Amino acid sequence: MIMINLLPEELRPIKRTPVPYMVAVALALGLLAGVGFMILSSMQVTSGLRADIAKNDQLLKGLQHIVDEYNELGEKKVALKDKVETIEEILRDRKIWSEHLDRLSHLTPDNFWYSRIRETTQTFRENRPKIDPKTNKPVMNEKGELETVQERVVRPVLELQGYVTNDAEGRANVYELMDNTTNDPEFSKHFELFRPRIEDTQYQDFNVRGFTLEYTIEAGIDNEEEK
């Protein structure tokens, strides 16, 4: 039987093709496959990184004793450096003091001998400029003069103790040593006599004159000599 559609063209039902739907589904499936591939790739990379981290951790644990040894050597190096600097400072001070003592031996007359030579410290009262705590500058009075205050200052002192016997002229003169040390330009540059004490006494049944001479030690002389 032959069927003839007598409806006008505009009233006839539209025949839809499934091709666009098939294309959309294919694209969606392709997109999902791509996302899945990227996820799998990321998981593989992450797994590889975790394996590398675990491997490096094992290597680090195996090298931990070397790291500990290195740190210990670093600490010993610092301690050794401090010791070397201390030893160098001691040797430097010994050299400087040996020069001073050698100079003193040349300034000491033959009828003198020492019972003690030492470096000690004493407290002195010195006038220092008065400092304004607000401006941290020296305070001036109404006359424009610098105001001072007395402060206690600890300074190093060279102490010489010993005895002197009669010289060829029959005198036990301590002042000869005092004059030699005071008038010598090299010695007096570093040591300043400030308090001599003299007394007549006996040493092994001999009449002698005992003395204690104290000299302030100028600050910074060691650094100047090293230069």
Side-chain angles (χ1 to χ4, degrees), residues 78-91:
V78 173
L80 182 60
K81 180 182 178 182
D82 294 339
K83 290 182 180 179
V84 169
E85 291 178 351
T86 302
I87 292 173
E88 289 178 347
E89 183 177 356
I90 292 173
L91 293 177

Side-chain angles (χ1 to χ4, degrees), residues 34 52 56 80 88 114 129-130 139-140 192 195:
D52 290 341
N56 291 332
L80 182 60
E88 289 178 347
Y114 297 105
K130 185 177 180 180
V139 178
M140 311 295 290
E192 182 179 356
R195 186 168 58 190

Side-chain angles (χ1 to χ4, degrees), residues 107 121 147:
L107 298 175
T121 57
E147 292 189 12

Side-chain angles (χ1 to χ4, degrees), residues 58-223:
Q58 292 296 326
L59 291 175
L60 182 59
K61 290 179 180 178
L63 298 175
Q64 187 62 43
H65 67 284
I66 298 178
V67 175
D68 294 339
E69 184 177 355
Y70 175 80
N71 293 334
E72 184 179 355
L73 289 175
E75 294 175 357
K76 289 182 178 180
K77 181 180 178 181
V78 173
L80 182 60
K81 180 182 178 182
D82 294 339
K83 290 182 180 179
V84 169
E85 291 178 351
T86 302
I87 292 173
E88 289 178 347
E89 183 177 356
I90 292 173
L91 293 177
R92 185 165 57 245
D93 290 344
R94 284 182 177 176
K95 178 179 180 297
I96 294 171
W97 273 105
S98 66
E99 295 174 358
H100 293 325
L101 295 177
D102 180 69
R103 189 69 181 174
L104 178 63
S105 67
H106 287 85
L107 298 175
T108 303
D110 294 336
N111 58 325
F112 282 74
W113 76 93
Y114 297 105
S115 60
R116 182 167 69 178
I117 299 177
R118 68 170 180 170
E119 179 186 0
T120 183
T121 57
Q122 292 190 28
T123 302
F124 298 83
R125 286 187 175 274
E126 295 185 359
N127 288 327
R128 297 290 182 90
K130 185 177 180 180
I131 303 298
D132 189 340
K134 295 182 179 179
T135 62
N136 201 29
K137 295 182 179 180
V139 178
M140 311 295 290
N141 59 22
E142 297 178 354
K143 297 181 179 180
E145 299 173 343
L146 182 66
E147 292 189 12
T148 60
V149 292
Q150 273 201 346
E151 294 182 357
R152 291 181 176 271
V153 180
V154 178
R155 298 188 59 184
V157 172
L158 173 65
E159 182 182 274
L160 306 179
Q161 288 186 359
Y163 305 95
V164 56
T165 59
N166 293 337
D167 56 15
E169 299 178 358
R171 298 179 303 174
N173 188 2
V174 180
Y175 296 101
E176 185 176 1
L177 175 61
M178 295 167 56
D179 290 341
N180 289 348
T181 55
T182 302
N183 296 327
D184 181 75
E186 184 64 25
F187 192 85
S188 61
K189 182 173 65 175
H190 307 306
F191 306 96
E192 182 179 356
L193 179 65
F194 74 95
R195 186 168 58 190
R197 298 193 298 272
I198 302 172
E199 62 176 355
D200 291 327
T201 183
Q202 284 192 334
Y203 182 81
Q204 296 182 356
D205 298 331
F206 288 95
N207 292 327
V208 295
R209 181 160 292 172
F211 63 87
T212 299
L213 305 181
E214 295 175 321
Y215 299 80
T216 56
I217 302 176
E218 295 300 319
I221 61 173
D222 294 348
N223 293 333

